[in-house]
Amino acid sequence: MVKRTINCREFRDYVKNDWNLEIDDSTLFAVCAFYNTGQNMILAGPPGVGKTQTIKALADFVELPEGNYLRVQAYPGITYVDFIGDWDYPKQMLVLEALKGGLKLTPENIDKIVSALEGKSSGGEFAEYLNMRDVDRYFRKGPAVMALERAKDGSILHIDELNRANEEFQALLFELSGEKEVTHPSGVTFSSTDRYAPPVPYGEGTPADPKKGRLPQFPVIIATINEGDVATVELSAALRRRFARVVFERPSVGTMVSVVRKTAGDDVVGRVAKSIEANLKKEGGVA
Amino acid sequence: MTVEYAKFIAELAERYYQKAQQKKLLCTASLDEVRMAYVALAEANRQGVDDYETVRKIVQSALVKDPECVQPFEEAWDEMLADLARK
């Protein structure tokens, strides 16, 4: 079962020891505190500082079930189809054709199908197939819908490089981050299946009640932002307000040295240092 | 503990907002963000990880959403600490 709250020191040790990430304690404690209190997060910083790995480590540490960590790669052309999903129109057409093929196309049968498609009747013996709003049968679910559906067992939706997303995507994320639900342009709304809100300010969790502002904890939405990226798009203030923005700093020189020593070993570091020193001492040649 | 944190964050948010206004920056420090900081700080305190760096990291993460808002935040933070030191 997913851990709704985690011990921050244990999480820090896990990230540092099991994932070999050199991230300062305060950053990991902040991520932990925001997770435990059900806040959406934006992890911001230059590439290679461990933002994505931290999210993966968190998903692992809280024991998310297989398939409940979902990732979306944002890019300037991303649409609701990539994020929410869409009706499987070819499948719907095939079903209709098959029904037609197996039916005598009497005026009564055609009326039955048309009336069911317009929502005026159930469609009699074909009702099961004629409900074109049956999301389980006819909807190709995108990562956001999957994260909402799987929320009852815990889910994390990771949106990578949010800074590259267009305004359409930001609008979709606005609803998801603020209400833990998304609405497809056809009018179908998908909501979180999680029934528990995080404890406020701490203690036991409470039943979720979006009408009273107690949003379910899952899916936890964590985006990453690469601030040095030339393709950066400005996020709206309304969207930013819904996320805690945790900045990941570049590691210090001392930290980098210790990482290199730990991963390469002192003998390798020593040989490289000697080689560099020897080359620096070489006399310059005459061109 | 938590009462002092609430007061500290609320006063800090107000100073930060005023400083941002003076610089004509849109740094909101809304009630939701103040609450976000408070709840996360309470959790850090419950777990005994509310050292100076973590408190600052949590509060800054909750209130500062734009790199250009860092400076007014830092000014407000330093002022708050100076005030606390005088008390």
Side-chain angles (χ1 to χ4, degrees), chain A residues 6-9 26-27 29-30 32-34 36-37 39 200-202 227 234 237 240-247 249, chain B residues 2 26 28 30 32-33 35-36 38-40 42-44 46-49 51 53-54 57-58 61-62 64-67:
Chain A
I6 53 174
N7 180 298
C8 293
R9 284 200 178 86
S26 60
T27 302
F29 289 155
C32 172
F34 287 125
N36 284 353
T37 53
Q39 307 291 348
V200 177
Y202 53 78
E227 286 177 332
E234 193 170 345
R240 279 180 287 164
R241 199 169 61 76
R242 291 162 187 244
F243 288 81
R245 179 177 168 276
V246 184
V247 177
E249 305 288 353
Chain B
T2 46
L26 182 64
T28 51
S30 68
D32 279 353
E33 289 162 309
R35 187 172 164 278
M36 182 188 281
Y38 172 70
V39 170
E43 172 62 10
R46 184 179 75 90
Q47 297 217 15
V49 294
D51 56 278
E53 290 300 329
T54 303
K57 191 81 182 187
I58 287 174
S61 300
V64 181
K65 305 299 170 63
D66 193 313

Side-chain angles (χ1 to χ4, degrees), chain B residues 63-80:
Chain B
L63 299 186
V64 181
K65 305 299 170 63
D66 193 313
E68 67 182 8
C69 295
V70 171
Q71 198 192 345
F73 175 82
E74 285 180 343
E75 288 171 12
W77 179 271
D78 290 344
E79 274 186 23
M80 288 293 292

